[in-house]
Amino acid sequence: TLSGRSSKLNGPYWRRSIRPGDLTTFGREQQLRSGARGSAFDFETVSDAGGTKHFFGQHGSGDAGSLIEHRLSPDGQWYASRKVIDGGPTRKACVRGGKPRGCNRFAIARVTASPDGRLHLVWGYSEASLSGKCRVDAGYCDHDLYYAVSADNGASWKNLRGDAVRRAPAAPIAHD
């Protein structure tokens, strides 16, 4: 399991069972020390063609709203975390009265692997709130839906046309 922790900056935490499917063999919860501090939640997971497990989750405290990735090697070692999608506070967001007031952008993603080994990432983002209480000129929080594909086990991501590429972890994908 991989889980976040409230607003503390000392997570996320993970634990595993010794025998698959046997919840009574869960080990002690341990802090994941992979570089990305803070809480995280809404994890999606997928295994790539090489057997690495990818955990994509929304960063909570520490970088609220960004999408981060934790990776677990086939031999059980954690790689350094990386930010995949930029979220978090931005001064350009939440326009009211024609002026940006600034607010958080939140990214939430889903991921899958296709039989050809490519990873497919779909994510949405929303400004300020997912609850419909946003007060902006448009009457709703700005939001959108995006797609990217990786043919190299998540080392780089391309848009559908293939004309925009981001190499992880050097440059996270911007919200737009």
Side-chain angles (χ1 to χ4, degrees), residues 30-166:
Q30 301 173 49
Q31 184 178 2
L32 178 59
R33 297 188 184 277
S34 60
R37 293 181 36 166
S39 63
F41 50 92
D42 196 26
F43 282 100
E44 283 284 311
T45 187
V46 68
S47 293
D48 67 27
T52 296
K53 291 177 179 47
H54 300 256
F55 298 85
F56 294 89
Q58 186 184 96
H59 214 277
S61 59
D63 189 12
S66 292
L67 188 76
I68 58 169
E69 177 190 24
H70 298 287
R71 296 170 297 138
L72 182 63
S73 72
D75 65 355
Q77 301 299 310
W78 289 99
Y79 296 111
S81 299
R82 15 188 215 201
K83 186 188 328 186
V84 178
I85 308 291
D86 258 339
T90 179
R91 291 179 292 179
K92 299 178 192 177
C94 292
V95 177
R96 186 164 172 115
K99 296 179 181 171
R101 295 175 295 149
C103 62
N104 271 350
R105 284 200 171 118
F106 298 95
I108 299 174
R110 300 297 176 250
V111 63
T112 192
S114 56
D116 65 4
R118 294 184 304 161
L119 299 179
H120 302 269
L121 182 65
V122 175
W123 73 97
Y125 87 90
S126 179
E127 290 180 352
S129 168
L130 297 175
S131 66
K133 297 179 180 177
C134 204
R135 302 277 186 241
V136 294
D137 289 351
Y140 56 86
C141 294
D142 191 14
H143 57 278
D144 221 328
L145 186 65
Y146 298 95
Y147 167 81
V149 62
S150 176
D152 55 9
N153 298 328
S156 63
W157 294 93
K158 295 180 183 181
N159 64 355
L160 192 57
R161 291 185 310 260
D163 61 356
V165 178
R166 292 286 191 236

